[in-house]
Amino acid sequence: MKGSAILFAVMTTMGLACGDFGNPVHEESPVVPPVGANRASFYLNGSKHVISVFAERNGYNVNELVIRGSGSGLENTLMMTFKPVQGGASEINVEMTGYWDLGLCIPFNKYLLSNSPSNVIRVTSYDPGSGFLKGEFDLTFRFEKDTTKVASFANGTFEAVVDTAAFKYCFEG
């Protein structure tokens, strides 16, 4: 009986930690990364933001790149995964593109990419030799538990040097 009570308490606490506490689109004012650094700028639901980003090869799909940036503690992580095609719209990996919390290495409080035809990631410059990548994006996400909650990233730009390490979720090492 005592073991059941402890198990119930642990599961309840985990449920609260991963539960929906409302719309996670709350951004703190981060330190603005300097020009020339790995960074992205965008309007999120009408407010201008500039954040630091990481660019890596996708460890799951060959020829894809992952760009991600987040708030403190990996809250509010914007993750864009795509094939870097120059001169047009890149093919977006829908399953690995989202706006979510990665604090436990598994996405939760997930905003999933909407099926809007205006979702686009455009690579304007990519040099595989140096890894320098530059592009633009417009993406709209809907909260998985309440699709009336929207996170719209508009007039986005990014520039980064792609790390030689491959992205993998941290629970896989």
Side-chain angles (χ1 to χ4, degrees):
M1 183 71 168
K2 183 177 181 181
S4 296
I6 292 171
L7 181 62
F8 176 75
V10 169
M11 291 182 71
T12 302
T13 303
M14 287 178 64
L16 290 174
C18 297
D20 173 22
F21 292 101
N23 186 340
V25 181
H26 59 280
E27 298 290 323
E28 296 177 15
S29 296
V31 175
V32 176
V35 173
N38 291 345
R39 63 191 252 156
S41 68
F42 49 84
Y43 286 88
L44 171 57
N45 293 343
S47 296
K48 175 86 173 180
H49 296 272
V50 179
I51 62 171
S52 293
V53 295
F54 298 96
E56 299 166 302
R57 292 177 299 105
N58 185 351
Y60 304 101
N61 294 318
V62 178
N63 300 322
E64 286 186 349
L65 300 177
V66 178
I67 295 180
R68 61 190 166 89
S70 63
S72 61
L74 298 178
E75 290 181 357
N76 304 333
T77 299
L78 170 62
M79 191 160 137
M80 299 181 287
T81 307
F82 57 95
K83 290 185 180 176
V85 176
Q86 293 191 60
S90 295
E91 182 181 333
I92 299 172
N93 178 327
V94 175
E95 287 80 29
M96 289 185 69
T97 296
Y99 182 62
W100 39 51
D101 293 340
L102 282 177
L104 299 173
C105 302
I106 300 170
F108 65 99
N109 285 329
K110 295 187 279 188
Y111 278 69
L112 306 174
L113 191 64
S114 73
N115 59 4
S116 170
S118 64
N119 286 331
V120 67
I121 299 173
R122 228 176 270 102
V123 174
T124 57
S125 176
Y126 179 50
D127 178 4
S130 68
F132 182 76
L133 174 69
K134 190 173 183 178
E136 307 165 336
F137 62 96
D138 285 287
L139 300 168
T140 300
F141 302 94
R142 297 199 177 276
F143 192 48
E144 72 174 339
K145 295 179 182 175
D146 179 355
T147 58
T148 63
K149 295 179 181 178
V150 175
S152 292
F153 291 79
N155 300 317
T157 62
F158 58 84
E159 60 182 53
V161 175
V162 179
D163 194 321
T164 57
F167 170 83
K168 290 200 176 231
Y169 290 102
C170 60
F171 59 84
E172 296 178 28

